[in-house]
Amino acid sequence: MGRRRTRALSVGQVTYRWTVSHTHRVEVVDGVRRLHDCSDHVRLGRDGAPGRLNVVFAEGPGRVVSGGGYTHAGAVSRDGDYLNLNRPGVVRAVLDEALHRGWQPEQHAELDGWAMYDGVLTRLRAAEPAAESG
């Protein structure tokens, strides 16, 4: 998955590698530096499979991504809900939602994270009682 340090996520006997990153465009006007087109990315790939998945959370009305000093890296939120893309459980929910939507680890794909957001939240909420009891 490139030169960026990856983290391992075990799903049964299968290992996925993932990273979180932030991108933006910088514009300097009259000496003032401004960031535009900010987005946070979760990149996933299954060990031994050629495909990679890039899940993109792009800034927009009502959609907050990291950057600008308001949140920590990997923080995305919408409508009062919040995801920390640095947490393995959140990445697992992103992976499960992508697989549910048809992504195959042999494919290169880019998915809109906001389109997946409600599904990811549902998966996380369903897992909460199990995590609390065990």
Side-chain angles (χ1 to χ4, degrees):
M1 289 191 53
R3 291 181 230 182
R4 186 178 303 275
R5 184 182 78 79
T6 62
R7 296 176 64 183
L9 178 67
S10 295
V11 179
Q13 298 297 318
V14 178
T15 300
Y16 289 84
R17 298 283 173 182
W18 61 282
T19 64
V20 175
S21 63
H22 177 86
T23 60
H24 54 257
R25 182 174 54 85
V26 178
E27 179 181 48
V28 179
V29 177
D30 296 327
V32 178
R33 183 175 182 257
R34 296 200 172 121
L35 305 180
H36 297 282
D37 304 325
C38 291
S39 60
D40 286 327
H41 303 255
V42 176
R43 292 183 175 91
L44 288 151
R46 186 179 75 198
D47 278 359
R52 296 292 177 256
L53 174 63
N54 182 24
V55 179
V56 181
F57 293 87
E59 72 178 349
R63 299 172 175 178
V64 178
V65 301
S66 66
Y70 300 109
T71 61
H72 65 81
V76 297
S77 65
R78 184 189 77 192
D79 300 328
D81 289 309
Y82 159 82
L83 294 175
N84 181 347
L85 302 177
N86 297 296
R87 297 184 55 95
V90 172
V91 174
R92 172 66 190 267
V94 168
L95 172 63
D96 289 346
E97 185 65 17
L99 292 169
H100 173 76
R101 290 169 178 259
W103 176 67
Q104 298 292 317
E106 295 76 24
Q107 301 172 328
H108 289 289
E110 182 170 288
L111 297 176
D112 178 0
W114 299 114
M116 300 170 57
Y117 197 80
D118 290 333
V120 170
L121 285 173
T122 298
R123 290 174 187 284
L124 288 169
R125 289 178 179 141
E128 284 177 359
E132 291 173 7
S133 65

